[in-house]
Amino acid sequence: MYPALYLEYLAHFHGTRDYFECHEVLEEHWKNTTPRSRQSVWVLLIQTAVAMYHDRRGNQNGAATLLKRCINNLPSQKESLLHLGLDPVHLEKQLAAELSRVRSGKPYVSWNFCIVDPQLLQDVQYLCQKWGVVFGSPSRMSDDNLIHKHKRRR
């Protein structure tokens, strides 16, 4: 029902907390579906993960810039988000809360999308289990390979 790379994105976002990998897998899907559209729902989700990646690394300016873009682009994506099994109203509130937290200089905190499709939630939880990670667990802040993944890429 949902694209496999989208399921991987959600499993990384909620399980491994590997936001860099979220970007990688969903960018591949975006480039295969709507590559020229910067207004695509896929871009919104990619930018959300990249904002979290910047935030966790302490790049609060980068995080704030992307969170503002996400907040600005979200209204036009509400229907698409619903079709992807996500609650757009909750996401809008979450992004606003994240932007407020980042601007106030408070440290990174892991959070989850509100997945409203029970089957999607089950599929993502199953994928997390298959990967040996716990759905909804907080990020491992001591894992430099995860936090600074873009620097270790070959």
Side-chain angles (χ1 to χ4, degrees), residues 55-124:
D55 180 26
R56 185 172 55 196
R57 293 186 61 246
N59 178 1
Q60 293 182 316
N61 288 336
T65 297
L66 283 168
L67 288 166
K68 285 187 279 186
R69 280 187 204 155
C70 292
I71 291 166
N72 289 337
N73 292 333
L74 191 138
S76 66
Q77 298 302 330
K78 286 185 176 183
E79 189 174 324
S80 294
L81 289 165
L82 276 173
H83 283 124
L84 289 173
L86 301 178
D87 180 338
V89 173
H90 184 270
L91 181 56
E92 193 168 34
K93 290 176 185 174
Q94 183 67 50
L95 292 172
E98 289 303 307
L99 180 58
S100 176
R101 181 188 54 74
V102 166
R103 283 181 170 161
S104 70
K106 293 181 183 171
Y108 161 86
V109 177
S110 302
W111 57 275
N112 298 325
F113 286 100
C114 181
I115 299 174
V116 294
D117 179 339
Q119 185 60 55
L120 176 60
L121 180 58
Q122 184 178 348
D123 291 346
V124 173

Side-chain angles (χ1 to χ4, degrees), residues 3-19 21-22 25 112-113 115 120-137:
L5 292 173
Y6 174 58
L7 293 174
E8 287 183 32
Y9 168 91
L10 290 173
H12 281 298
F13 197 96
H14 297 95
T16 67
R17 299 293 181 184
D18 188 337
Y19 303 120
E21 199 61 30
C22 286
V25 298
N112 298 325
F113 286 100
I115 299 174
L120 176 60
L121 180 58
Q122 184 178 348
D123 291 346
V124 173
Q125 289 172 331
Y126 173 77
L127 190 52
C128 286
Q129 181 181 23
K130 184 177 171 184
W131 291 350
V133 295
V134 178
F135 177 93
S137 62

Side-chain angles (χ1 to χ4, degrees), residues 46-58:
I46 291 166
Q47 289 178 337
T48 299
V50 174
M52 297 309 296
Y53 182 76
H54 285 308
D55 180 26
R56 185 172 55 196
R57 293 186 61 246

